[in-house]
Amino acid sequence: MNPSYEQAQPWSISQWLNTVAPISLESLRGKVTVLHAFQMLCPGCVSHCIPQAKLIHTAFPSDKVQVIGLHSVFEHHEAMTPVALQAFVHEYRLGFPIGIDQADPADPIPLTMRAYRLQGTPSLILIDKAGYIRLHHFGQIDDLRVGAVIGQLLTE
Amino acid sequence: MNPSYEQAQPWSISQWLNTVAPISLESLRGKVTVLHAFQMLCPGCVSHCIPQAKLIHTAFPSDKVQVIGLHSVFEHHEAMTPVALQAFVHEYRLGFPIGIDQADPADPIPLTMRAYRLQGTPSLILIDKAGYIRLHHFGQIDDLRVGAVIGQLLTE
Amino acid sequence: MNPSYEQAQPWSISQWLNTVAPISLESLRGKVTVLHAFQMLCPGCVSHCIPQAKLIHTAFPSDKVQVIGLHSVFEHHEAMTPVALQAFVHEYRLGFPIGIDQADPADPIPLTMRAYRLQGTPSLILIDKAGYIRLHHFGQIDDLRVGAVIGQLLTE
Amino acid sequence: MNPSYEQAQPWSISQWLNTVAPISLESLRGKVTVLHAFQMLCPGCVSHCIPQAKLIHTAFPSDKVQVIGLHSVFEHHEAMTPVALQAFVHEYRLGFPIGIDQADPADPIPLTMRAYRLQGTPSLILIDKAGYIRLHHFGQIDDLRVGAVIGQLLTE
């Protein structure tokens, strides 16, 4: 493995949706992981990145590519509560597992967001089969480029 | 006035956003009123109808056409709270007045929604200068047809 | 009639498509006329204005609003021939009458384009029931504003 | 190489645009080749596939991925002439090389279209670095899936 790649940190999740059991990063070794950090009241997430995550979820077999939503609330905490997220997930028909990024009582930035040094939402992180970060993108990125990285990682 | 048109009912609003004072239907006589009923977690509202309401708000002079958002929560009440709506309005940069439809303790349907017999969200109601309902549409409707009705009502 | 409105000039058409007989401006008195000037190889016409013209054609009854396409070729004359336009009209399923603006042997600008002082394509001209020009727009214009003018003219 | 892959046939081109010299398939060994078959008056090509080809052309370095447009005219031959295509390429600002599929005097289907057994336009063919066909798709296909195949082929 290229030593310049950074090992993905374990995520800190206070609650999971759309999965019967918590999902650890380690359990995803051997798959390409698409970590899609969003906030439910972030317009760019809703218009572009959530449809992109849904498309990735349906376009690739689940034993090869795993989409994980990460709800990293760093603003409007009182609005984007777990119960509000559940309604959002229901209405937008999101079918992939979503973890609620663990809040930090001392900081508006939640723990995983800080560990991954996310600049904001939306952020897209692609993790290879060995657990290394291969794409770390803040903001919108087009489907073609995301597909190309996923296609490359699938061959490794 | 055509006697077949229905007089618009007064609305029941528990809280206003984007206005320094409550707005009564009576105070809008002489203007065309665009009443845009939505829920902040309704995907069709977010993708189509809220952009349409924003466009109407900017396309016509405010002394001729008044856009009023009506947040008619009839599901996921615990998610679409006033504080959540405030965050939504901030993030989506909505500039027109928005009234929160008065909840009914005995019914999930709020009071204005029931008075106007809305079938759901999004709903668009066009009220003429004399206070009569001239369009009552559930679901999405294209900008061309909405524009044509507004254009007609402006000449009356 | 407001004396400041300009009377629409008769158009000069070398060939008609989608109509059994030529259509004169005079014959449209009593209807709102939507004159949609385009070129078949103009990208903005194809992506925005032709869909808009198709929508107007379907949204209003034909005895009230008449859409007329005007193929005003002022560049690439050798590419946008009548036979090429016929293929275009077939492939894009245009159902409204289209007149080919009469070429001027001495000038790349065709006759109707010059008579109407069009700046280029797309251009949209709305003519009221009495034959006066009420909107004269070069470039794209949104459906809402077009609808509003049509709605107003329909009431006159 | 997987023996089940089909070797791409040489193409038959009567005229090239956007290149100073003809481009042979053999000269592209070592690159991923994106062969994008279209007709300039095919609405689905214009709205979806040509923007996709333009995006591929800009998203990947030209020494790794080569986009080739193939103008395979099988209908409206009198409309989609070389001079019309030149105007189209100019107006739509296509920057990648485009070959005009060699017409067959005895058949409306041009030679390359028949050799590649294209069902129509748009068609997308991805050819790997060794000259084998790895994707052969008729109709629209989303950017994510195309990107994934390109990403995979780039690693080979």
Side-chain angles (χ1 to χ4, degrees), chain C residues 41 43 76 78-79 83-84 87 91-92, chain D residues 41 43 76 78-79 83-84 87 91:
Chain C
L41 296 184
H76 307 301
E78 70 293 355
V83 73
E91 291 299 319
Y92 281 82
Chain D
L41 295 185
H76 307 303
E78 69 291 357
V83 71
E91 290 300 319

Side-chain angles (χ1 to χ4, degrees), chain C residues 10-84:
Chain C
W11 39 57
S12 303
I13 303 297
S14 55
Q15 185 181 338
W16 283 93
L17 283 70
N18 288 339
T19 172
V20 291
I23 299 173
S24 71
L25 186 56
E26 290 72 30
S27 71
L28 300 174
R29 289 291 153 80
K31 292 189 188 187
V32 174
T33 298
V34 177
L35 187 64
H36 164 250
F38 72 105
Q39 291 184 108
M40 57 173 281
L41 296 184
C42 153
C45 300
V46 171
S47 66
H48 179 86
C49 299
I50 286 174
Q52 184 177 67
K54 290 175 79 168
L55 180 59
I56 297 171
H57 179 60
T58 59
F60 298 98
S62 60
D63 60 336
K64 296 226 179 356
V65 175
Q66 178 67 58
V67 175
I68 301 281
L70 179 69
H71 196 232
S72 290
V73 180
F74 64 93
E75 58 188 344
H76 307 301
H77 295 78
E78 70 293 355
M80 294 188 273
T81 59
V83 73

Side-chain angles (χ1 to χ4, degrees), chain A residues 25-86:
Chain A
L25 186 56
E26 291 72 30
S27 71
L28 299 174
R29 288 289 153 82
K31 290 188 188 187
V32 175
T33 298
V34 177
L35 186 64
H36 165 250
F38 72 106
Q39 292 183 109
M40 57 174 281
L41 295 185
C42 152
C45 301
V46 170
S47 66
H48 180 86
C49 299
I50 286 174
Q52 184 178 69
K54 291 176 77 168
L55 180 60
I56 297 171
H57 179 60
T58 58
F60 298 99
S62 59
D63 61 336
K64 295 227 177 357
V65 175
Q66 178 66 58
V67 175
I68 301 281
L70 178 70
H71 197 231
S72 290
V73 179
F74 64 92
E75 57 188 346
H76 307 301
H77 294 79
E78 69 293 357
M80 294 188 272
T81 59
V83 72
L85 179 64
Q86 283 169 332

Side-chain angles (χ1 to χ4, degrees), chain A residues 40-44 46-47 75-76 78-81 83-88 90-92, chain B residues 40-44 46-47 75-76 78-81 83-88 90-92:
Chain A
M40 57 174 281
L41 295 185
C42 152
V46 170
S47 66
E75 57 188 346
H76 307 301
E78 69 293 357
M80 294 188 272
T81 59
V83 72
L85 179 64
Q86 283 169 332
F88 178 84
H90 175 81
E91 290 300 319
Y92 281 82
Chain B
M40 57 173 282
L41 296 185
C42 153
V46 170
S47 66
E75 58 188 345
H76 308 301
E78 69 292 356
M80 293 188 274
T81 58
V83 72
L85 178 64
Q86 283 170 333
F88 177 85
H90 175 81
E91 290 299 318
Y92 280 83

Side-chain angles (χ1 to χ4, degrees), chain D residues 27-62:
Chain D
S27 71
L28 299 174
R29 289 289 152 82
K31 291 189 188 186
V32 175
T33 298
V34 178
L35 187 63
H36 165 250
F38 72 105
Q39 291 184 110
M40 59 174 280
L41 295 185
C42 153
C45 301
V46 171
S47 66
H48 180 86
C49 299
I50 286 175
Q52 184 177 68
K54 291 175 78 167
L55 180 60
I56 296 172
H57 179 60
T58 58
F60 297 99
S62 60

